[in-house]
Amino acid sequence: QVQLVESGGGLVQAGGSLRLSCAASGRIAVINAMGWYRQAPGKQRELVATISGGGSTNYADSVKGRFTISRDSAKNTVDLLMNSLKPEDTAAYYCNAQIREVYDTSRPYWGRGTQVTVSS
């Protein structure tokens, strides 16, 4: 069974930095795109950043220039480095990955989320 486990959330002051990490485990054959999404209270889940299997990245306009997504395909991990954090970045952050398990089809998986709180 495939699992995504996030780590690295916490409380930080505005202007500070945090690094989120996500590790995928299980009977993984191939991991295609990986990414980070976030959901603030009372709001819909939104895309933060994605990275393809080939390393192409995509960012929400609100985080461009501040956040950097990276992956280690050998370790099945994806990181999100968040700099210049703002109070509006406060949310639960979720890892997502399109994974094909051994002897199965490709489908999306989600982590349980990690909380990021930015104080003003």
Side-chain angles (χ1 to χ4, degrees), residues 30-34 51-53 71 97-100 106:
V30 176
I31 301 180
N32 294 308
M34 303 184 82
I51 184 166
S52 71
R71 67 188 286 174
Q98 189 74 22
I99 297 175
R100 182 169 70 81
S106 179

Side-chain angles (χ1 to χ4, degrees), residues 12-111:
V12 64
Q13 287 189 331
S17 299
L18 280 175
R19 178 185 288 274
L20 305 183
S21 295
C22 173
S25 62
R27 298 179 63 192
I28 297 170
V30 176
I31 301 180
N32 294 308
M34 303 184 82
W36 290 93
Y37 292 72
R38 67 187 180 187
Q39 187 167 17
K43 295 188 177 181
Q44 289 189 329
R45 189 172 296 188
E46 63 176 5
L47 179 147
V48 176
T50 61
I51 184 166
S52 71
S56 298
T57 58
N58 179 53
Y59 296 92
D61 288 343
S62 60
V63 307
K64 281 181 181 176
R66 300 189 297 123
F67 291 11
T68 302
I69 189 170
S70 61
R71 67 188 286 174
D72 186 329
S73 295
K75 296 181 179 179
N76 292 336
T77 59
V78 60
D79 287 358
L80 185 69
L81 176 60
M82 305 184 292
N83 294 321
S84 302
L85 282 160
K86 305 175 181 180
E88 50 264 44
D89 295 317
T90 295
Y93 283 69
Y94 297 89
C95 177
N96 171 272
Q98 189 74 22
I99 297 175
R100 182 169 70 81
E101 292 186 67
V102 177
Y103 305 123
D104 204 343
T105 58
S106 179
R107 59 190 182 98
Y109 289 85
W110 291 91

